[in-house]
Amino acid sequence: MTNTTNFQPSRRAFMLGLTLSTAAAITYSDLIPAAAAEVPGYAFAPGKGAPIVLADTPYNAQDHWLGYTVPIYSGQSPWRVLRHGSLPTSFTITNTSNQPIVNPTGTLALQMRDTGMDIPSVGGASKTRANSSNNAVLFKDQGTNQHGARLYTWTYRNITLKPGQSLEIPLRYYVNYPFSNVDYELLVTATFSSIMSTTAAVGVVPGFTRWLFWD
């Protein structure tokens, strides 16, 4: 059963989740903050079949609501779940060139944004973090970018992506002690450097209403 909460996401986040799930004829760049598309030299991926695509934000079609099913962990703990959000669970890369790609690479940026406002979260725009449950994919934390987002480089190691081949990279979200924040949206922006393509989505997270004293 899809988990839902009483938290009501902003209209922008809700419409984005609806668009991702129903494949409506609206581009990502119509709905996300302009900062997500400001990656020089990269083509912006509008949807499925592009070189890099984020998975759909969980969506409960029965009652037209975002599903809060994606765990947010306490640090590197493999089992301690602190909250659930409506967030993309993975991104898929596809070699759309006619040449094989050895050890495909790219970036991932996460920025917490105030619910209903297109500005970085006052609670710390870079404190929600990510890595991958696939050990073959190496995530390196590069600090924050010019927009205050947490920036990572990723490399899918020891693999050759053949022309036309696709690979899915699962995402794992976490926060470190200490952390507390009201309801927030999470702007997720991913690039596939080998093909020069960018994709983005907005997720939503019900607030962490107390300080966390474990990690």
Side-chain angles (χ1 to χ4, degrees):
M1 178 180 294
T2 302
N3 292 328
T4 60
T5 72
N6 292 327
F7 166 55
Q8 297 185 11
S10 72
R11 181 179 181 277
R12 177 168 60 88
F14 173 76
M15 287 302 295
L16 180 60
L18 181 62
T19 299
L20 294 175
S21 300
T22 60
I26 304 174
T27 65
Y28 286 99
S29 54
D30 290 332
L31 296 170
I32 64 168
E38 294 174 3
V39 185
Y42 283 74
F44 197 72
K48 299 184 187 304
I52 182 168
V53 179
L54 280 158
D56 291 351
T57 302
Y59 176 68
N60 184 343
Q62 183 176 0
D63 55 11
H64 306 292
W65 204 246
L66 295 173
Y68 297 96
T69 60
V70 180
I72 300 173
Y73 293 90
S74 174
Q76 300 303 315
S77 167
W79 56 271
R80 190 185 295 274
V81 176
L82 302 176
R83 209 71 167 105
H84 287 83
S86 181
L87 301 164
T89 56
S90 65
F91 61 90
T92 300
I93 57 173
T94 302
N95 185 356
T96 57
S97 75
N98 58 7
Q99 299 293 326
I101 297 173
V102 179
N103 299 334
T105 62
T107 66
L108 181 78
L110 303 178
Q111 186 183 73
M112 295 166 56
R113 306 186 75 87
D114 285 346
T115 302
M117 301 175 67
D118 193 15
I119 59 173
S121 172
V122 295
S126 64
K127 290 185 178 180
T128 299
R129 308 185 182 211
N131 52 26
S132 180
S133 57
N134 184 342
N135 292 331
V137 183
L138 177 64
F139 273 67
K140 289 187 177 180
D141 191 336
Q142 303 295 335
T144 56
N145 66 11
Q146 68 270 32
H147 302 297
R150 177 65 55 179
L151 180 66
Y152 302 88
T153 56
W154 58 265
T155 304
Y156 206 125
R157 298 171 292 181
N158 303 317
I159 197 167
T160 298
L161 192 63
K162 299 177 181 178
Q165 183 180 7
S166 296
L167 291 171
E168 184 178 16
I169 298 174
L171 291 171
R172 175 188 179 276
Y173 299 92
Y174 66 98
V175 294
N176 287 327
Y177 166 85
F179 181 89
S180 181
N181 205 85
V182 297
D183 304 338
Y184 63 93
E185 298 174 0
L186 189 71
L187 172 62
V188 183
T189 309
T191 71
F192 184 13
S193 300
S194 306
I195 298 289
M196 302 293 283
S197 182
T198 304
T199 184
V202 176
V204 288
V205 180
F208 289 73
T209 56
R210 57 191 174 89
W211 289 98
L212 308 177
F213 292 101
W214 54 80
D215 184 46

mmCIF file of all heavy atoms in Angstrom, residues 3 76 106 143 146 209 212:
data_model
loop_
_atom_site.group_PDB
_atom_site.id
_atom_site.type_symbol
_atom_site.label_atom_id
_atom_site.label_comp_id
_atom_site.label_asym_id
_atom_site.label_seq_id
_atom_site.Cartn_x
_atom_site.Cartn_y
_atom_site.Cartn_z
ATOM 1 N N ASN A 3 2.198 4.718 1.008
ATOM 2 C CA ASN A 3 2.109 5.559 2.193
ATOM 3 C C ASN A 3 1.829 6.996 1.800
ATOM 4 O O ASN A 3 2.399 7.512 0.860
ATOM 5 C CB ASN A 3 3.421 5.511 2.976
ATOM 6 C CG ASN A 3 3.659 4.156 3.579
ATOM 7 O OD1 ASN A 3 2.722 3.460 3.939
ATOM 8 N ND2 ASN A 3 4.926 3.754 3.679
ATOM 9 N N GLN A 76 25.081 6.671 7.451
ATOM 10 C CA GLN A 76 25.419 5.474 6.677
ATOM 11 C C GLN A 76 24.756 4.214 7.219
ATOM 12 O O GLN A 76 25.051 3.109 6.756
ATOM 13 C CB GLN A 76 26.944 5.294 6.655
ATOM 14 C CG GLN A 76 27.686 6.464 6.029
ATOM 15 C CD GLN A 76 27.220 6.743 4.609
ATOM 16 O OE1 GLN A 76 27.053 5.833 3.812
ATOM 17 N NE2 GLN A 76 27.004 8.016 4.289
ATOM 18 N N GLY A 106 29.227 11.215 -14.268
ATOM 19 C CA GLY A 106 28.344 12.373 -14.273
ATOM 20 C C GLY A 106 28.321 13.034 -12.907
ATOM 21 O O GLY A 106 29.211 12.813 -12.075
ATOM 22 N N GLY A 143 31.198 18.853 -2.031
ATOM 23 C CA GLY A 143 30.780 20.048 -1.312
ATOM 24 C C GLY A 143 29.550 20.659 -1.947
ATOM 25 O O GLY A 143 28.687 19.945 -2.453
ATOM 26 N N GLN A 146 27.461 26.401 -6.906
ATOM 27 C CA GLN A 146 27.183 27.838 -6.849
ATOM 28 C C GLN A 146 25.760 28.153 -6.428
ATOM 29 O O GLN A 146 25.446 29.297 -6.077
ATOM 30 C CB GLN A 146 27.480 28.498 -8.213
ATOM 31 C CG GLN A 146 26.540 28.104 -9.344
ATOM 32 C CD GLN A 146 27.010 26.889 -10.112
ATOM 33 O OE1 GLN A 146 27.644 26.002 -9.535
ATOM 34 N NE2 GLN A 146 26.724 26.856 -11.404
ATOM 35 N N THR A 209 10.755 16.981 12.668
ATOM 36 C CA THR A 209 10.280 17.919 13.675
ATOM 37 C C THR A 209 11.038 17.838 14.987
ATOM 38 O O THR A 209 10.670 18.468 15.954
ATOM 39 C CB THR A 209 8.790 17.682 13.960
ATOM 40 O OG1 THR A 209 8.605 16.313 14.351
ATOM 41 C CG2 THR A 209 7.962 17.963 12.705
ATOM 42 N N LEU A 212 17.928 15.023 15.882
ATOM 43 C CA LEU A 212 18.305 13.611 15.843
ATOM 44 C C LEU A 212 19.572 13.412 16.649
ATOM 45 O O LEU A 212 20.562 14.096 16.422
ATOM 46 C CB LEU A 212 18.523 13.179 14.388
ATOM 47 C CG LEU A 212 17.367 13.516 13.438
ATOM 48 C CD1 LEU A 212 17.722 13.117 12.021
ATOM 49 C CD2 LEU A 212 16.110 12.805 13.878
#
